[in-house]
Structure formats: structure tokens, C-alpha cells
Amino acid sequence: MIRRLAGLVLLAALTLVPPAAAAEAPKPFRIYMALWRGWEEAAQGFKDYFANQNIPVELIVRNAAQDKSKLPEFVAEVKRLKPDLVFTWGTTVSQEMLGVIGKVDPARHITDIPAVFAIVSQPIEAGLVPSLASSGRNITGATYLASMETQVNLIQSWRRFRHLGMVYNPLEANSLVAIHELEALGRSVGFTLTALPADLADGKPVPASIAAKVAALKAAGVDILYIPPDTFLNVHRDLLTGAALEQRLPSYAAAENPVVTSKAMFGGIYRYYTVGQLTAYKAEQILVHGKAPSAVAIDPPRRLSIIVNMPVVRALEFYPPMKLLGLAEVVDPAGAK
Amino acid sequence: MAWSLPRKVSAALLAILLCTAAATAIFGYSKFEGVLSSLVRSRYSVVVFSIKKDIEDRLALGLPLRQLRQVQDAIEREKIDQPQIQGIEVFDAAGEIIFDTDRGAVGAAVSQDWVQAAQAAGHQTFARSEEDSLIVGLPLVDVLGRVVGAGALRYPAASVAEEVRPLLAGQARSGLILLAGFAALAVLGTYAVLAPFGRRLAAMERQLQTTMAEGGPPPAPADNDPFEARFAAFAASTREALEHMQDATQDVGRLDRLEVRE
Amino acid sequence: MIRLDSARSVILRLMVLAALVLLPPMAIIFAGALGDFQQGMEPELDRKAATIGRDLAGDIAHAATLGIPLDRLVGMDEFFAPVLESNPELRYLALTNADGRILFVAGVQATVLAPHYETADFEQAGQRKAIIDAYLDIAVPLEVKGERLGHVHVGMDGGYVPARLHEILIDVVTVLAVAMIIALEVLLYVVALNAAGPLKQISRTFEAARRGDFIRIPAPGARDEVGRFIRTANDAVCRVDELYRRLIAYAEEVKSAHFDKGVVERVAAIEDRIRYLFRFSESGSPEVVHHRRALDVRLPLFLFVLSEELSRSFMPLYGGTFSLPGVSPEMVAALPIAVFMAAIALASPFAGTLTERMGSRRVFLLGLMPAVLGYLLTGLAQAEAGLLVGRVATGIGYAIVTMACQSYVSKAAIGEQKAQGLGVYVGAVLTASVCGNAFGGILAEHAGYRAAFFASAVLAVAAGVLAARLVDPAETVKARREAGVGALFRLLRNWRFAVFVVFAAMPAKLALTGVVFFLAPLYLHQLGWEVADIARILLLYAGSVVLLSPAVARLADASGWRAGLVALGGLIGGGGLLLPLLGGGTAPVLLALLCLGVSHGLSASPQLALVSDLCWTEVQEIGRTGVLAQVRLLERVGSIAGPILAALLVPVTGYAGAIAALGAIAMAMAVVFAVAAVAYGTGPTIGSDAEVRP
């Protein structure tokens, strides 16, 4: 809840750099921000970073409002204004404005101005960069999905487990990738994964089948339920997490909603605000320290935000270790007792 | 004024005694104060550390530093818990005070030296001293590993030594008396050690004077002391030489007079 | 009974006295002060424990507020561990419930604490602090919404305070030990100057008088009892002299005036008899001789070397606080040492000629000026350049002063055993290095590096005051041919000399400056030692040199086995420095320093004597001081190379590796010298103990 306060400073967003700071610094950096869903936390984090570091910037903010057709206009405007740097929000904006590898057209894309992207879940798969170590192009950026290893470490730090369970939508490619990664990780770390697909009917997953799958996992001796970032599961999160609670199966979610607005026990995510700050950090490397964008690696923030759903914890009597509790954000609307 | 040997030696001994006492007292006290103040600093750094942890956890939630209003309450609570604390302040990377137990100071700037100290400290505490207060601080590190500011706690410099000062003053007084006593002992001891030496020199001196003047017997070699033996031999041979000269002079005189008379 | 003309017996008694008046009061005062310190520190420890306890209790209360039952808290070990780790005075942390039952504990067995917790009533304020076994237990209440859930217990090490105070004790003991050595030096000086020395001189007159020699009398010196005694003895000699002169004058008068040949002959016979029996000065009165004694210069020299040695243990650390763009930090730390050595090397030949011309006293005072200026510059330096200038100035002064002392000692030592005579010089230098090292480390730790340099300046000035007043001013000044570059080549053509310098003298200095002066302090600092401790560790080197040197000097004089000792020393030193290869940590460094100390202890004074043996003819030509100056000049090549080479090695090999690398170099050279030393005996024989008078 606290973090939503950040949203309230939206009003301040469009006021650019305070005049006092501008007077001190001879020439602020001009940054063109191309947004997809308006001013939100990543953009705020991006802006706050410069304010906190006392780096004078002049932000030129444009909102596509999820309208792809506006993006060529943005590119034209960038070419006209010639800012020092371009910030692109999300996979679509980044792909359209910066171009996909192999199909970059200097006439249609921005090539001569360094660019940073944020909130791109899979920059390699999206065709933006060939590797996370270096883009090899005039761009860099921050990812926002936690690696599977980080997530497993987080779960392990709550309680060591031997058997991880998962219910998934067999039609969702992301889930299949997650299964693949977890299996590989399980082999090296030493746990087994039992992943059960939701039943399909008419080429669609059946929500009603979820509870049975959870029960099956419990019966198979699963220690913890892993909930992948999956649209189908997100929509039916109450069914899934409710079933887990009923089976007294602790659950971990790789997304915020199952924990904050449903009954998953805990979760680990990266905050958009932090991702925005990290993107600004990378922009600083380019603008202030003169690094080439290709020399700045693409990575997620260092620290995962941990959310703990306290009522579920109490119901399961599956308590978090003190250290983790100290780091976590606790969701506890009613409070104890 | 000429100084006698025991006087010179005891002066040297006293000088050494005094310098040693001063050096040990200064070093001893300095070490003690160092240990004590590092203890005090580490206690306050525990307080700063808990504030740091609190702030960093909130920063990790994605809130900018200046919006962490709860921090103001937290530092004020700490100051109430521990009245010796003079003040706690939280400043950002540019040195602007964001929160301060002295609310009037919010918005002011800390000295640039602190900002640099915080930047250089990494995850370690940094310490600074001002006129009559000491400062212990810890940098605030955000999720990017960047130092976004620091928390600093100000405590009175005097409190460290004040508690023990009366004890030490008493100790110093009795120590001085003790030293004076041993200094007297040093002087007495020196005279005791060197007196026979002086006496024997004086005795030999008298002996020589008598031997030379009265022609008394040369002193007998005493104590198997080679020096005294040599001295006795010297006295004897000098006396002998003296007599030789006198005899020879008489002989020459006699020869001289004899011939004149003849 | 006290022997009157020997300092040793008097000094022994006075040292016992010094120990009696120095040590007990310090012991009594510190026993009292330690108690006070302990009392002063305890409340502070309690407060810290309470602060930590409150902090932990806050976190636990937070968990309890979230509805986690106290006895089901998870991960308490991991929760407690970092707190215990970062606070060395804490020994355990525990959480008890309202009944005093231990729920969690880290750092100690629960059974140790349980009996106490079950019976104690923590509601009473007096019971919050308790002593359990060797622990001090502070109980901090754990409350949630006004309800007492239990207590967090913070257990402190009861031995923590005594252990920290023990560190004070080590410093105090060091200071006392240094004070005793300085007391010895000062007493030796006072007694030698005022009693033993003059009496030794007069006893020469006594000895001469017994043989009928009344030519020389000593200068009476001070107006104390010794001076009076000497005056009386001198008066006796003068009286005989006066009678003799009167007699001779009378006899001459008779001889020239008398007409009777028989009388003249008889008077001449009497005169001949007297002249046969006794000998007198030809100048008309007994010659007053100002004797030089090697011991006279010892205290000024001691103080001066002490001033330089104060910074020994921390010079590379102080140097390391500066920076030069484009130069590695190791090199920045090494440069002040290297330029100091270079300044000594370059100033030494000049200093040598200076002493031959001006006399020791004036040269000593002359040399003090740059030395003191250098200390001040070093202490005030704000940049590496200033530091280097300061060190160069001190280096020049050091070269001049030590050369003045060497020349003084070597001239005074004529007639005594030469290695033993030079032992006075070596002894003063080594004792000063022990004291300076130990004291300087403590000084630097408490007052800072810069303050130590100001103390150095003060000590150097004190040395000057003593030298100005007490080193004999009347000195026979004899111009001598300059020992210049020609002499150097002349010496180097002597293969024995060349081998000695390159394979024994140079590597010894290389190891000394590279390891003891440079690498060891930095390495020990890296290992976490404080400056005062580093200084004490370096004492292993200087201490073993001091302890071995005098005995070896006598052995070398007695046996003439000098090259052998030098070779043996080289092998031990080189081998010892390889030890840090065996493993990390402090122990191998200690052993290496010890071996190097033994090595230099074995070779230091034989080296000096060996030079005269090896260069007998050259000594005849350019003088002993000149030859020694060339040795010093050449071995400084090693001194300069030591820190530079080490600084180049460190980035590649690390500190331990650099020590071993220098050790390997020293070892290889020592082997060559050992082989050569065997060959020394096969050449033309050398008059080993032949004294060379100028």
C-alpha cells in the first residue's frame, strides 16, 4: 500500500527539472521518454533517480497509450529533437522504435541516439539484443523478470524443499519454459519437480480442473507449490491458491497478484519503480560516464522484493525465517488475532 | 656549580623515571580511551545500523528516500530511548538533510566531508568528530548498490572520558605520590651506590697528598682492585721519583757547594 | 666492591637501582589504573548489550505482532549469527519465554544458562544483569502491546574487558623495556664520561709512572670528585715534573758554569741517571692529553639513530597514504625508503671526505641540520614530493652524522680490538633500532605518523646538544688523500673485495630494506596488525641482531673466522626469507624476520673487520674510513634496490611472494659468496690483525 504513494506523485511528473538545479548545471541532459501505458512507477523511478543523484535532466515525455500507430510519430519526433538519450517502455515500444535485430532500418528506427529500454521481459527473445552481456548496438536496458535461480533461492531461504509442485496451462509457452528451467535447476540443486497441466477442453484450459491437480500434487508429496507468471493462472488465482490453502500446501508466486489479492503464501518480484531506477542508472553510465551502450550489460535489479501473505502463513503455520521476515513486505490487512 | 657524580647520575635516573612515567601514562590512557570510544561508537553504530536497515528495506520497496516519513518517527523514538544521543540525521547523496531529530535542520546541508565519507565507506561505518560531538554514520545503499545517502548519529565527545575522569584523577594523584617516593629512593640509592666510590676516591686523594707531602709510606694495595693497585704503585713510584729528584738535586747542590767551598 | 675504572660494575648496580625505582611504581600505578579502566568500561559494555538486545527484541516483537508464536520462530540461528559475528565482545544470544524457558540460543550450550534463567526474576530491575559462568548476561524484556512475552538475553564475554586491557599492558611493558634500555645507554654514558673514562685515562698515567714515564697527564675534565682526584694525581705528576725541570736547570747551570771537570762529570752522571730512570715531556710541562673514547660518541649516536628508527615500522604505511598519478601504490610507498637510501649512498663519499677534513664533532652538528629539517618536512608533507624531499634531506644528514661517528669510533678504537671497537658503533645503532622501532610504533599508533616525525626532530636536536657539548673538540686534523672514484675502481680490482661487496654486502642490504623496512610492515598491516604490534614484530629482526652481534664480534676477533661467519649469515638469511612460501599468516613472517636477524647478527661486525682483512693494501693507501665508505656506498645499491624491487614484485606475487623472491635472490648470492670465501684462503696471505696507523 505504501508503495502506491509513489503513484500519487504522478502530478509532479510532467514538471521537468526544478529551475534552481537547472541554473546550477549549465546544460541538462535531454531524455525522450516513450511510454506505453502512461506515467507509472518505472517512469517515476527513472525520473527520481536523476533527482536523487543530482543529475540535471530535461525529460520529454510522450505517451503512446497502448496505441502502436503513434510510435512512428515518436521516432520522427526524436529525429527532429535530437535528444541525448531515448527511454523506451515495454517490449512493443522498444521493438517499434529501436528495431528488431536484422530488421533495423535507420529511416524507421532510432540508431544514432543511445537508447535504454525498461520493462522488457525477454530482450533476447524479443529480438532487441543478441545477449544480455552486451547489446552490440547503441542500446541497453533493464530486465524485470527474476531468474529462476533467484526465485528458487528465495523459496529455499524460506524452507529447504525437496519436491516442488506446479500446475500450469499447457498452452502457455512461458510455463513450458519455466518447467524446463526448473527441471534443469532441480537436477543441480537437488529437488524434483512435479508439474501437472490443467485439463484442456475445446482447446482451452479448464479452470475447474485446477483444484484436483493441486490435490494430486499434495498427494504426490510436494513441499511447495510454484505458481508461474501465467495469464490463465493469474485470472483463476483464487481457485489455485484457495485449493493450495485447503490442501495446506504452501505456495510461492512469481507475480504480485496471487499474493497481494489472493491466497498465495509469498512471492518474489521486481518492482517497476526499481526497474526504472536501474534503467536510469544505465542511462547515467552512458550520459555522465561516457560508456558506450553496448558496454553496459542488461540485467535485472539486484534485490528481489519479497511479499508475504501473513493470513495464509498463519493459517498454514508455516512461518518465515526471521531474516526473510526482516526483508519482506508483509500483506496483513486484518492483522493478527 | 659543579655537579658531583651521584648528582649527575641521579638526575639522569630521575629524568628517565619521569619520561617513562609520562610516556606510559599517556600511552596507557590513550589506548584506554581508544578502546572505550570504539566501544561507545560501536554501540551507537548498532543504533544507526537498525535505522539503515529500516530505510534500506523501505527503499527496496521502491520508495524514494524523501518520502519515508516513518523514518522521522523512528529516529525521534531512538533519541527518546537513548537520551545521550545528541541527534540523528539522514541525508541524501547530495548532503541535504532529509530527516533530523532536530526538525529545524531538515533541508539544510551537511558538510561535504560527510558526504564523501559516506560515499567512501561502502558498507562500513564512518566516524567524524566535531567540536564537542562525535559522529558515527552508515551509508544507505539502494538496491542498485548505489549510496543514496547516509544516516548519522551525533553523540557527545565528552561522555566517553567523563565517567572515568574522577577515577583516573584519584589514580593520578596517588601515582604522583608514589612516583615522588620512588624518585627519592632513586636519589638515595644512587648516593648509596656511588658514595663508597666517592669515599674511596677521596681517600686515595688524601693518601696521595700525604704520600707526596710527608713522605709517608705508600698505600698498601687493597682489595685486589687493579685500579687501586695501580694507584698504589703510582703513588709509590711518584713518591720514589720525587725522592730521586730531591736526592739528585741535593747531590747536585752538594757537588756545587762543595766545589765553591773548596 | 666497585671497580673504580670499569663502568661495568657501577652500571650493573645502577641498572638494578633503575629497575627497582622504575618498575615497581609503574606496576603499582597500572594495577590500580587497570581496575579503574575496567570499571569505566563495564557500564559502556552493558549499554551496548542493552542496545543490541532492544534491537533484536524489536524484530522479534514484530514477528510476534504478525501472529508468529514465540516458540515457533524460524531461522533464529541465522538471525543471531551476524550479530554475534560483528560484535566480538558478545558470546551468546538467547530468547526465553515468560517462564524463563530457553526457546532459542546461539553461541553457548543452553544447559549453561537454563539453571539461572529458571530461577531469576527479571521483573526486578536488579536482576536484569547477571554473571553466569564467564559471561555477563543482560536481559532485555520482550513486550508486545504491553504483554510481557519473554526476554532477549545478550551474553557478553566476561574476559573481553580484561583482554582489551591486556593490550594496554603490552604497550606499557614495551615502553618500560625501552625505558630500561635507554636508562642503560644514559647511565653508561654518564658513568663512562664522568667516572670510568677519566679513571681509565688516569690509570694509564699511573701505569706509565710506574715505568718512570711522566710525560702525559689526562685533562681533568669536570669539577666533580673524579675531576678532583685526577687533578690531585696530575698535581703529583706535575710536582715531579717541576722538580725534574728544576733539577735539570740546576744541573745545566752547574755544568755550564763549573770549572771542575770532575764535578761536571758527576753532575752529568746524576742527570744521566735521572734521565735513564725517568722520562718527561720535552715541551716544558706534562702534556695534557684529550683522550677520545669510543663510548663518548655512543649516546649522541644512539639518540640520532633512535630518531631515524622511530619511523621504521610505519614508513611504508605512511608513504602509502600518499599517491602519485601513474605510479602503483606499492611504488609510492617504496619511493620514500629508496630515495632515503639513495641520499645516504650519494652523500656518504662527500661525508667521508668532510670528516677527514673537519673533524667529527663539527661534521656531526653539520649533518644534523638537514636531518632535522628533513624530519619536519616529512612530518608536514602534504604530497609525495614533499615527503621525498624530506626523506632525501634526512638521508643526507644521516649519512653525514653516521660517517662522523664511524670515523670517531674507528680512530678511538685504535689499539683496542678493532671489531670490538666498532662494536660500540654497531651496538649503538642496533640498540637504537630496537628502541626506536618499538617506541615509534607505539607513538605512531597513539599520536599518529606525523607526530612521530616531530618526535624524531626533537631527538635529533637532543643528540646534537650532547654532541656539541661532549664530543671532544680538540682533534688532530690530518688531511688525507681523497678516496674518490679512482679508489673505488682500485678497490673493485681486488677480486676478494668485489666478491664480498656484490655477493655478501649488497644482498644483506637488499633483504634488509626490501623485507624489514618495506614488505614486512605492509604485509603485517595487510594481515591486520596494528602499527605498535608491527613494530614489536620487527623487533624480532633487530633484537636478534643486537643479541648476537657483540658475541659474534668477539668470536670473529678471537678466531679470525670472518668470511665464514659472513657466508653462514647470508645462507641463513636467504633461507629464512623463503619461509613465507610455505604458508600464509603471521608465523612464517616471524620466522623469516628471526632468520634475517640471526643472519645479520652473524655477519654485521665480521663484515666491518673483514673489509680491512681483504683490502689490507688499499687500507694503507686510502685509509680505513675511505675503504669503509666505499663499502657503504656499494652496499647502498642493495639498499636502494630492495624496496624498489619489492614494490615491483608485489603486484605480481603478493607480499609473501615478494619476500620469498628477495629471499631467493639473497640465497643465490650467499651460495656464491660461500664458495668464494673458501677461495679467499688460497690467495696471498693477508696480515689479518695488522693495525694501520695513518
Side-chain angles (χ1 to χ4, degrees):
Chain A
M1 266 151 284
I2 300 155
R3 75 202 159 78
R4 299 199 196 290
L5 285 171
L8 297 179
V9 280
L10 214 150
L11 294 173
L14 296 172
T15 58
L16 304 178
V17 178
E24 279 169 26
K27 186 177 163 289
F29 296 108
R30 290 166 75 231
I31 299 175
Y32 189 97
M33 294 180 73
L35 306 180
W36 182 243
R37 289 202 299 234
W39 190 266
E40 45 58 78
E41 287 181 15
Q44 184 64 42
F46 187 76
K47 173 174 180 280
D48 283 353
Y49 180 87
F50 293 112
N52 288 339
Q53 295 294 322
N54 259 2
I55 301 167
V57 288
E58 182 190 327
L59 301 180
I60 303 156
V61 181
R62 295 293 178 268
N63 180 10
Q66 309 195 38
D67 180 357
K68 215 167 165 177
S69 66
K70 283 188 178 169
L71 296 175
E73 292 170 27
F74 289 0
V75 173
E77 190 182 23
V78 167
K79 288 178 190 267
R80 200 170 61 246
L81 292 176
K82 296 199 188 331
D84 297 304
L85 183 105
V86 176
F87 168 94
T88 57
W89 193 102
T91 309
T92 311
V93 178
S94 304
Q95 282 174 330
E96 294 298 314
M97 291 182 69
L98 307 176
V100 176
I101 292 174
K103 292 176 193 158
V104 180
D105 176 2
R108 284 178 45 225
H109 299 128
I110 299 160
T111 51
D112 52 347
I113 296 168
V116 290
F117 57 80
I119 319 295
V120 174
S121 56
Q122 286 162 318
I124 298 177
E125 287 78 357
L128 284 170
V129 297
S131 88
L132 294 181
S134 169
S135 68
R137 322 172 40 185
N138 206 11
I139 64 175
T140 187
T143 61
Y144 78 107
L145 286 187
S147 76
M148 198 53 89
E149 196 180 349
T150 312
Q151 298 188 52
V152 166
N153 284 343
L154 173 60
I155 304 172
Q156 295 273 30
S157 76
W158 186 297
R159 207 61 49 86
R160 298 209 71 77
F161 63 87
R162 306 273 299 282
H163 197 166
L164 198 63
M166 182 171 160
V167 178
Y168 67 102
N169 171 9
L171 302 179
E172 173 92 37
N174 281 344
S175 289
L176 297 175
V177 171
I179 290 169
H180 182 69
E181 285 178 349
L182 276 172
E183 277 173 346
L185 212 54
R187 275 192 294 278
S188 63
V189 178
F191 64 85
T192 52
L193 175 74
T194 303
L196 301 177
D199 292 344
L200 292 178
D202 310 330
K204 276 184 177 176
V206 182
S209 66
I210 292 174
K213 300 292 174 190
V214 173
L217 287 175
K218 178 71 184 180
V222 158
D223 299 317
I224 289 178
L225 176 70
Y226 177 81
I227 303 173
D230 175 322
T231 319
F232 166 72
L233 294 178
N234 186 32
V235 172
H236 302 288
R237 56 184 180 267
D238 284 348
L239 273 175
L240 178 64
T241 58
L245 186 56
E246 198 171 304
Q247 296 290 337
R248 299 192 64 77
L249 190 60
S251 52
Y252 166 88
E256 192 174 348
N257 278 338
V259 186
V260 178
T261 64
S262 189
K263 297 190 189 67
M265 189 180 75
F266 78 122
I269 54 153
Y270 290 124
R271 300 259 173 222
Y272 277 23
Y273 183 88
T274 313
V275 175
Q277 283 190 311
L278 177 61
T279 313
Y281 173 63
K282 293 180 186 302
E284 182 194 11
Q285 299 296 311
I286 297 163
L287 293 174
V288 180
H289 303 292
K291 282 196 185 172
S294 56
V296 180
I298 297 144
D299 48 23
R302 288 189 203 172
R303 192 167 152 181
L304 210 55
S305 294
I306 304 156
I307 318 166
V308 174
N309 192 344
M310 214 53 215
V312 177
V313 169
R314 282 195 293 269
L316 291 173
E317 295 185 335
F318 193 71
Y319 300 112
M322 287 298 290
K323 228 174 172 175
L324 203 146
L325 191 63
L327 297 172
E329 179 189 352
V330 173
V331 181
D332 197 6
K337 291 163 197 176
Chain B
M1 207 21 229
W3 279 28
S4 71
L5 187 63
R7 214 153 148 194
K8 287 177 196 168
V9 172
S10 47
L13 264 183
L14 287 187
I16 292 165
L17 182 63
L18 208 69
C19 290
T20 311
T24 41
I26 290 167
F27 290 152
Y29 182 70
S30 138
K31 184 100 186 182
F32 163 69
E33 202 173 29
V35 171
L36 189 60
S37 58
S38 81
L39 201 60
V40 173
R41 188 167 62 238
S42 81
R43 167 161 68 93
Y44 288 120
S45 74
V46 171
V47 176
V48 186
F49 186 75
S50 70
I51 293 168
K52 169 192 161 85
K53 218 170 59 177
D54 188 38
I55 295 177
E56 286 180 358
D57 287 345
R58 289 173 204 275
L59 285 176
L61 298 181
L63 289 172
L65 183 59
R66 52 184 70 240
Q67 286 180 23
L68 304 178
R69 292 281 157 227
Q70 306 89 329
V71 173
Q72 181 66 33
D73 302 335
I75 60 176
E76 284 173 6
R77 228 177 7 254
E78 285 290 356
K79 189 173 184 310
I80 292 164
D81 275 357
Q82 298 200 43
Q84 315 97 301
I85 295 175
Q86 287 178 333
I88 305 173
E89 44 221 52
V90 175
F91 54 91
D92 69 7
E96 186 190 337
I97 296 175
I98 312 289
F99 307 108
D100 198 319
T101 45
D102 168 18
R103 290 188 179 212
V106 171
V110 297
S111 92
Q112 209 53 35
D113 172 52
W114 289 24
V115 180
Q116 280 161 10
Q119 289 290 347
H123 283 275
Q124 306 292 315
T125 55
F126 60 89
R128 282 290 177 276
S129 59
E130 282 183 356
E131 284 166 43
D132 46 7
S133 42
L134 296 169
I135 292 101
V136 57
L138 266 169
L140 301 170
V141 182
D142 70 0
V143 279
L144 305 175
R146 300 283 307 226
V147 174
V148 294
L153 186 149
R154 191 189 289 272
Y155 58 97
S159 70
V160 178
E162 242 164 35
E163 299 174 23
V164 276
R165 197 158 285 157
L167 283 172
L168 290 176
Q171 198 59 244
R173 248 195 314 282
S174 55
L176 279 178
I177 295 168
L178 196 69
L179 269 186
F182 273 89
L185 191 67
V187 174
L188 287 177
T190 309
Y191 274 87
V193 168
L194 295 175
F197 176 83
R199 270 200 304 278
R200 280 167 65 196
L201 277 183
M204 286 192 281
E205 203 182 312
R206 274 196 307 278
Q207 183 87 58
L208 187 60
Q209 276 164 348
T210 347
T211 309
M212 298 302 283
E214 296 160 15
D223 307 312
N224 304 323
D225 183 331
F227 182 76
E228 291 210 33
R230 257 194 299 261
F231 168 74
F234 166 75
S237 51
T238 309
R239 173 74 211 165
E240 194 188 312
L242 203 69
E243 281 165 4
H244 266 292
M245 296 301 158
Q246 283 166 347
D247 290 352
T249 309
Q250 272 172 19
D251 286 349
V252 174
R254 195 160 32 83
L255 282 170
D256 191 16
R257 280 192 304 277
L258 191 72
E259 288 313 310
V260 169
R261 221 180 294 140
E262 275 172 13
Chain C
M1 227 17 204
I2 295 178
R3 270 202 49 189
L4 292 177
D5 61 336
S6 155
R8 197 168 295 169
S9 61
V10 179
I11 289 299
L12 195 67
R13 280 151 208 259
L14 289 177
M15 280 310 287
V16 171
L17 179 66
L20 279 178
V21 299
L22 217 53
L23 306 183
M26 297 297 152
I28 295 168
I29 291 171
F30 267 85
L34 284 184
D36 284 357
F37 285 175
Q38 191 154 356
Q39 269 186 305
M41 267 204 281
E42 255 162 27
E44 198 44 55
L45 267 180
D46 293 355
R47 278 197 284 268
K48 186 178 172 189
T51 305
I52 290 173
R54 265 205 304 279
D55 200 40
L56 296 175
D59 286 357
I60 295 172
H62 172 64
T65 320
L66 292 174
I68 305 178
L70 219 50
D71 56 350
R72 300 202 51 192
L73 290 169
V74 180
M76 291 299 279
D77 281 347
E78 291 78 17
F79 177 60
F80 284 151
V83 181
L84 287 174
E85 202 173 293
S86 57
N87 296 285
E89 68 278 19
L90 299 191
R91 293 296 297 280
Y92 66 82
L93 292 165
L95 175 65
T96 55
N97 67 8
D99 306 330
R101 193 163 59 81
I102 299 174
L103 301 175
F104 300 97
V105 61
V108 73
Q109 290 292 320
T111 48
V112 177
L113 307 175
H116 173 76
Y117 292 162
E118 278 158 16
T119 54
D121 175 12
F122 297 114
E123 300 314 311
Q124 285 176 288
Q127 296 256 5
R128 292 271 165 80
K129 185 183 172 189
I131 295 170
I132 309 173
D133 272 12
Y135 309 112
L136 284 169
D137 187 275
I138 303 280
V140 178
L142 177 65
E143 282 175 359
V144 172
K145 292 172 192 147
E147 186 192 346
R148 177 69 52 86
L149 296 181
H151 288 90
V152 172
H153 295 268
V154 180
M156 284 174 299
D157 185 348
Y160 178 76
V161 170
R164 297 311 301 270
L165 294 174
H166 178 71
E167 291 170 17
I168 299 179
L169 212 61
I170 294 177
D171 274 1
V172 169
V173 167
T174 310
V175 170
L176 283 180
V178 169
M180 285 303 291
I181 296 175
I182 291 177
L184 176 64
E185 287 291 335
V186 170
L187 290 176
L188 198 62
Y189 181 73
V190 171
V191 170
L193 188 79
N194 291 295
L199 291 180
K200 207 168 217 164
Q201 302 308 328
I202 193 72
S203 96
R204 280 197 195 140
T205 303
F206 291 172
E207 201 61 29
R210 209 170 56 184
R211 298 190 307 265
D213 176 347
F214 292 92
I215 298 172
R216 277 178 279 270
I217 53 171
R223 306 185 145 274
D224 54 14
E225 53 269 62
V226 175
R228 220 170 47 232
F229 174 75
I230 289 172
R231 250 180 225 99
T232 310
N234 284 355
D235 286 349
V237 174
C238 287
R239 206 148 142 238
V240 176
D241 181 85
E242 198 191 318
L243 283 180
Y244 164 77
R245 304 217 179 264
R246 245 190 260 159
L247 168 68
I248 296 299
Y250 190 19
E252 289 300 319
E253 189 196 312
V254 172
K255 277 191 323 195
S256 61
H258 217 280
F259 50 88
D260 186 337
K261 260 208 161 116
V263 168
V264 171
E265 268 170 29
R266 281 167 68 188
V267 168
I270 291 172
E271 200 187 331
D272 283 349
R273 188 169 53 88
I274 290 296
R275 279 189 204 273
Y276 172 73
L277 284 173
F278 306 105
R279 278 161 308 285
F280 291 92
S281 161
E282 282 164 23
S283 64
S285 61
E287 287 171 28
V288 178
V289 186
H290 295 267
H291 284 282
R292 289 215 260 205
R293 294 171 304 261
L295 275 175
D296 290 354
V297 82
R298 185 165 168 139
L299 189 61
L301 174 65
F302 173 83
L303 287 177
F304 180 74
V305 177
L306 188 70
S307 75
E308 171 53 31
E309 294 286 336
L310 282 187
S311 57
R312 182 65 64 232
S313 57
F314 60 84
M315 193 63 227
L317 302 175
Y318 180 58
T321 62
F322 294 86
S323 63
L324 264 186
V327 181
S328 78
E330 288 84 12
M331 195 52 85
V332 170
L335 276 177
I337 302 172
V339 297
F340 176 74
M341 293 299 161
I344 294 180
L346 295 177
S348 283
F350 163 71
T353 28
L354 210 61
T355 34
E356 297 288 354
R357 283 187 185 159
M358 287 176 61
S360 300
R361 186 187 75 102
R362 273 192 290 171
V363 173
F364 190 110
L365 296 178
L366 193 73
L368 277 181
M369 288 179 216
V372 171
L373 194 71
Y375 288 137
L376 297 178
L377 275 174
T378 308
L380 293 169
Q382 293 303 318
E384 175 88 353
L387 176 66
L388 294 181
V389 170
R391 291 313 288 161
V392 166
T394 302
I396 293 171
Y398 190 88
I400 296 175
V401 169
T402 49
M403 188 57 75
C405 293
Q406 260 177 53
S407 140
Y408 185 97
V409 166
S410 73
K411 283 178 190 163
I414 287 166
E416 296 171 29
Q417 289 285 8
K418 58 183 165 178
Q420 230 171 320
L422 286 170
V424 169
Y425 174 84
V426 177
V429 170
L430 290 177
T431 319
S433 89
V434 169
C435 292
N437 220 325
F439 190 73
I442 299 175
L443 194 64
E445 192 171 317
H446 292 292
Y449 298 145
R450 291 175 189 272
F453 286 105
F454 299 129
S456 291
V458 171
L459 279 174
V461 169
V465 170
L466 287 180
R469 286 185 50 203
L470 301 167
V471 176
D472 192 350
E475 190 158 0
T476 47
V477 180
K478 281 189 182 135
R480 190 194 285 271
R481 264 173 301 147
E482 272 179 56
V485 183
L488 184 63
F489 287 115
R490 168 96 179 67
L491 276 166
L492 285 175
R493 274 204 300 275
N494 177 343
W495 71 269
R496 292 188 172 82
F497 177 83
V499 165
F500 161 75
V501 163
V502 173
F503 294 103
M506 279 188 194
K509 290 291 173 198
L510 181 86
L512 176 65
T513 58
V515 176
V516 181
F517 291 7
F518 181 68
L519 286 172
L522 289 174
Y523 187 32
L524 290 168
H525 187 69
Q526 191 195 42
L527 290 172
W529 292 96
E530 298 285 342
V531 179
D533 295 319
I534 293 174
R536 280 187 282 265
I537 292 172
L538 293 186
L539 285 189
L540 277 178
Y541 168 78
S544 44
V545 174
V546 169
L547 293 180
L548 268 179
S549 223
V552 172
R554 277 192 291 277
L555 178 68
D557 266 356
S559 67
W561 194 55
R562 287 162 186 166
L565 283 171
V566 173
L568 183 67
L571 293 172
I572 292 176
L577 293 188
L578 295 174
L579 288 174
L581 275 187
L582 297 179
T586 311
V589 186
L590 300 188
L591 278 177
L593 286 171
L594 194 66
C595 286
L596 201 62
V598 169
S599 152
H600 292 178
L602 285 179
S603 55
S605 26
Q607 265 195 14
L608 289 171
L610 182 63
V611 171
S612 305
D613 293 352
L614 296 178
C615 313
W616 190 76
T617 46
E618 289 86 350
V619 165
Q620 300 263 44
E621 278 173 45
I622 49 182
R624 207 183 138 83
T625 315
V627 172
L628 277 179
Q630 301 300 332
V631 177
R632 293 276 167 257
L633 176 63
L634 289 168
E635 71 180 4
R636 298 283 177 207
V637 174
S639 301
I640 300 164
I644 299 280
L645 203 58
L648 292 173
L649 284 167
V650 169
V652 186
T653 61
Y655 290 119
I659 292 175
L662 292 188
I665 295 172
M667 189 74 183
M669 297 229 173
V671 169
V672 174
F673 181 74
V675 172
V678 175
Y680 277 176
T682 63
T685 41
I686 299 158
S688 71
D689 270 311
E691 269 312 329
V692 183
R693 284 179 177 276

